[in-house]
Amino acid sequence: MNTDEVLGIFREAGAVLEGHFILTSGLRSPVFLQKARVFMHADKTERLCSALAEKIRKGVPGRIDYVVGPAIGGLIPAYETSRHLGAPAIWVEREGGEFRLRRFEIARGSRVVIVEDIVTTGLSIRETIDCLRELGAEVVAAACIIDRSAGKTDVGVPLIALAEYEVPAYPADRLPPELAAIPAVKPGSRNI
Ligand SMILES: O=P(O)(O)OC[C@H]1O[C@H](OP(=O)(O)OP(=O)(O)O)[C@H](O)[C@@H]1O
Ligand SMILES: O=C(O)c1cc(=O)[nH]c(=O)[nH]1
Ligand SMILES: [Mg+2]
């Protein structure tokens, strides 16, 4: 599946929003990919995640013990991708602001692949890697449906993106005037 097909699915679902958005990194953007509007459709989610699983299989030699989704956005794509990889899906969720594997135990040395929805700065993936490494897991790769950095983000492990789509994002104190003129909204769950 190529980038146009992935973006086509997002557009068809009404998931490409325009306005003034506060991203999880604190950056501001005129575009927000509201993945929940895609993941509400099982058929669209299956098409995306089966293609992502195929890309992961090609890029990750050897065993995958767990697929890990960072909640909330990573929950559904990690679950659906895990189905196609034949490995169980677990998740990290925030407790006091930090990602933790609250509901599961994994053996040290477990080989895990992180599956995210969207990557902008890679901050959420790096936080997930820190949490998993503290538990002794080996993060063999990270994957996402759309990489908004278009390959510029370095998360310290191979990042397998189903699509790369570069979208502008600005520090809050360096907004272009057209963005500053629109009230900002924060759709994600960090700090809630
Ligand atoms: O690469 P980054 O700069 O970390 O941005 C991408 C992250 O932002 C979103 O999560 P968010 O924290 O907004 O909450 P959500 O998962 O509940 O949507 C998205 O699900 C990714 O996890
Ligand atoms: O960077 C983010 O927080 C982000 C961007 C985006 O387009 N979609 C999303 O869910 N999060
Ligand atoms: Mg998220």
Side-chain angles (χ1 to χ4, degrees):
M1 184 177 287
N2 62 33
T3 292
D4 283 348
E5 288 171 293
V6 174
L7 290 174
I9 291 174
F10 270 68
R11 290 202 179 97
E12 201 179 275
V16 183
L17 310 183
E18 289 179 15
H20 179 181
F21 302 99
I22 305 174
L23 307 181
T24 199
S25 52
L27 293 174
R28 308 295 186 93
S29 180
V31 175
F32 191 80
L33 303 170
Q34 184 44 282
K35 63 291 172 108
R37 295 192 184 172
V38 174
F39 300 150
M40 66 188 278
H41 302 288
D43 57 337
K44 290 182 169 51
T45 307
E46 182 180 17
R47 277 164 63 204
L48 293 168
C49 293
S50 59
L52 184 60
E54 202 180 311
K55 222 166 162 176
I56 293 169
R57 268 283 167 240
K58 284 190 184 133
V60 178
R63 184 184 96 234
I64 297 171
D65 295 317
Y66 297 99
V67 175
V68 180
I72 292 174
L75 287 175
I76 293 175
Y79 178 80
E80 181 60 19
T81 304
S82 82
R83 201 157 70 84
H84 296 277
L85 287 172
I90 58 177
W91 62 87
V92 294
E93 59 196 294
R94 292 193 191 279
E95 190 176 56
E98 309 263 303
F99 274 136
R100 275 199 50 212
L101 195 68
R102 291 186 60 233
R103 301 167 200 249
F104 311 96
E105 283 181 6
I106 57 173
R108 297 186 78 78
S110 296
R111 287 167 53 86
V112 306
V113 173
I114 296 167
V115 171
E116 259 285 30
D117 47 357
I118 311 291
V119 166
T120 299
T121 64
L123 174 67
S124 306
I125 287 185
R126 287 192 295 272
E127 290 171 335
T128 305
I129 292 173
D130 290 346
C131 163
L132 294 168
R133 284 191 178 151
E134 257 180 50
L135 298 170
E138 185 189 347
V139 181
V140 292
C144 65
I145 306 289
I146 298 180
D147 175 7
R148 292 180 40 139
S149 84
K152 294 196 182 105
T153 293
D154 181 3
V155 294
V157 299
L159 177 63
I160 298 164
L162 186 58
E164 293 184 346
Y165 177 51
E166 194 154 21
V167 185
Y170 310 92
D173 59 357
R174 269 185 275 151
L175 294 185
E178 64 279 9
L179 203 55
I182 309 171
V185 293
K186 183 174 176 303
S189 67
R190 188 190 287 264
N191 299 332
I192 286 179

